[in-house]
Amino acid sequence: MNKLALDDLLRRSLLEDIGFGDITSEAIFPEDHISQGFLLAKQNLVLAGMQVFTQVFALLDSQIQINPYYADGTAVPAGEKIASMAGNTRSLLAGERVALNLLQRMSGIATHTRRYVEAVNDFPAVIVDTRKTTPGLRMLEKYAVTVGGGKNHRYGLDSMVLIKDNHIQAAGGISTAVQRVRSQGAFFRKIEVEVENLQQVQEALSVGVDIIMLDNMHIQMIEQAVKMIDGKALVEVSGNVVLERVSELAAAGVDIISSGELTHSVKAADISMRLS
């Protein structure tokens, strides 16, 4: 992760939550009050975001000590302590919500991604994310996908050429859209095209694209498309991709399985922070 971008994100998140000060903690605890505490996993999870958790407190108070017991990517059983902490009580409580929110979300994404990856272990297909991320949190959420064992699809619109349904409709067809991309000098960029039927698969093959994305196709059509493509392009499948379907999709012979569910619908992992 880009440290400058991370610090900027965390500073804005802290400002949003703390405002002009934590009036509750400042009323209860003197400035020099010290506490110790720990993070507790309340469910089985794949940990992601300890660097982020630690950096939240580093920005608030350089004297706070965080001692992680597990590294990112580790499967942590329910009931286990994830880390210990010690430092100024006001600072610990001021950073608690932001630090936990991000750690819980990132660990939830990593945990769910790991389930996807394990479901296709017997096949060469890779699990990838999409751009369906929380605005402002894409860097963290895509990192969490990789911690869970998945791969990142394009980070943003400037990462690669992906011709989707609206591009095709507005341009008047796949061939026209691809020709216009190539006319702009994109000879060294891979071109991916989203298709919805076998006729579009054939058109995409005719113009020699690098990746063909099969969007919202039923399994029989996916199997037909894979046979048509026959190694002439990488095959990605997307649309209505949920955990229950990934094994079947991988068995159909696709190369890439992309799912927005990894980031847009995931449940945050249950982690609590306890002070004493």
Side-chain angles (χ1 to χ4, degrees):
M1 285 181 283
N2 182 299
K3 188 179 185 303
L4 290 177
L6 176 61
D7 284 356
D8 180 63
L9 168 62
L10 297 182
R11 289 181 194 280
R12 286 185 283 111
S13 298
L14 287 166
L15 180 60
E16 175 185 62
D17 196 42
I18 297 172
F20 293 102
D22 177 2
I23 60 176
T24 307
S25 298
E26 290 172 8
I28 296 173
F29 302 106
E31 289 186 11
D32 59 353
H33 193 278
I34 300 297
S35 290
Q36 296 181 338
F38 58 88
L39 284 175
L40 180 67
K42 299 175 72 176
Q43 67 168 85
N44 296 332
L45 58 87
V46 175
L47 185 65
M50 276 308 302
Q51 174 193 350
V52 175
F53 183 89
T54 301
Q55 187 63 12
V56 169
F57 292 104
L59 292 173
L60 283 171
D61 185 341
S62 61
Q63 300 304 306
I64 289 179
Q65 297 178 342
I66 308 290
N67 180 31
Y69 300 151
Y70 294 95
D72 279 4
T74 306
V76 181
E80 286 291 304
K81 291 181 179 180
I82 296 171
S84 64
M85 62 198 66
N88 182 275
T89 305
R90 289 187 181 184
S91 298
L92 287 169
L93 292 171
E96 175 185 9
R97 188 71 272 149
V98 169
L100 267 182
N101 281 354
L102 295 174
L103 183 68
Q104 288 175 308
R105 176 136 188 93
M106 294 174 71
S107 295
I109 290 169
T111 302
H112 198 48
T113 301
R114 182 69 55 85
R115 297 187 189 111
Y116 269 71
V117 171
E118 290 175 348
V120 301
N121 270 344
D122 294 333
F123 307 97
V126 296
I127 300 296
V128 305
D129 54 24
T130 71
R131 285 167 46 244
K132 294 178 181 177
T133 54
T134 308
L137 297 184
R138 181 169 294 174
M139 173 177 65
L140 305 187
E141 293 181 349
K142 281 185 169 284
Y143 166 77
V145 167
T146 66
V147 170
K151 306 293 184 184
N152 293 148
H153 207 290
R154 60 177 178 163
Y155 188 87
L157 293 173
D158 58 350
S159 300
M160 65 174 286
V161 175
L162 174 47
I163 300 171
K164 296 176 68 67
D165 54 351
N166 284 329
H167 298 110
I168 295 166
Q169 183 66 29
I174 290 172
S175 299
T176 301
V178 171
Q179 289 167 5
R180 289 179 181 174
V181 167
R182 287 179 172 150
S183 72
Q184 297 302 310
F187 299 108
F188 302 105
R189 292 180 178 173
K190 290 187 181 299
I191 298 177
E192 180 169 9
V193 173
E194 177 186 273
V195 300
E196 298 175 343
N197 54 58
L198 297 180
Q199 181 180 351
Q200 288 187 323
V201 170
Q202 187 57 54
E203 187 177 0
L205 285 171
S206 72
V207 291
V209 301
D210 302 287
I211 309 167
I212 298 176
M213 179 194 290
L214 311 178
D215 186 50
N216 281 299
M217 289 186 181
H218 56 72
I219 190 64
Q220 292 80 11
M221 187 178 290
I222 290 172
E223 291 171 344
Q224 287 180 274
V226 169
K227 289 179 181 178
M228 287 177 62
I229 296 167
D230 192 28
K232 300 180 184 71
L234 290 175
V235 182
E236 177 179 345
V237 64
S238 187
N240 191 32
V241 174
V242 292
L243 182 59
E244 293 74 19
R245 293 189 67 210
V246 291
S247 293
E248 179 183 47
L249 294 171
V254 303
D255 302 293
I256 304 161
I257 301 173
S258 58
S259 176
E261 191 203 27
L262 297 178
T263 52
H264 72 57
S265 298
V266 73
K267 184 178 180 181
D270 194 357
I271 303 170
S272 67
M273 177 175 144
R274 308 276 178 84
L275 294 186
S276 59

